[in-house]
Amino acid sequence: MEDVIKAYRCREPEKRIPVLRLELDYELALLHEAMVENNPHLVDQCKSRLRELRREMMMLEAL
């Protein structure tokens, strides 16, 4: 619920969404590198961050 309130209070979600997309792209590139290097710790970190970014994106798009 706090996340919804935080997203609602953000007065400029249209400015945050493009930045969020760049963060998603960067994190996906890191995930790819981690998978190529066979680094399970980094893969888990990237997946966790991607989940957070996805959740934020979904909340912003719902506004």
Side-chain angles (χ1 to χ4, degrees):
M1 188 63 176
E2 292 176 22
D3 293 331
V4 173
I5 293 170
K6 179 181 165 187
Y8 185 72
R9 286 185 183 162
C10 179
R11 296 180 183 189
E12 301 183 35
E14 62 275 354
K15 290 185 179 179
R16 174 66 179 139
I17 289 174
V19 173
L20 195 54
R21 286 189 179 135
L22 289 174
E23 290 180 37
L24 283 164
D25 288 344
Y26 175 76
E27 206 62 44
L28 286 169
L30 283 179
L31 176 61
H32 179 261
E33 281 184 35
M35 291 171 69
V36 168
E37 295 173 359
N38 197 22
N39 184 340
H41 179 68
L42 187 55
V43 167
D44 290 340
Q45 284 181 337
C46 291
K47 285 182 179 181
S48 176
R49 179 71 176 135
L50 283 165
R51 281 187 209 100
E52 292 172 15
L53 294 171
R54 176 184 172 271
R55 192 167 130 207
E56 183 179 352
M57 178 68 83
M58 291 176 67
M59 286 190 317
L60 288 174
E61 289 178 344
L63 295 179

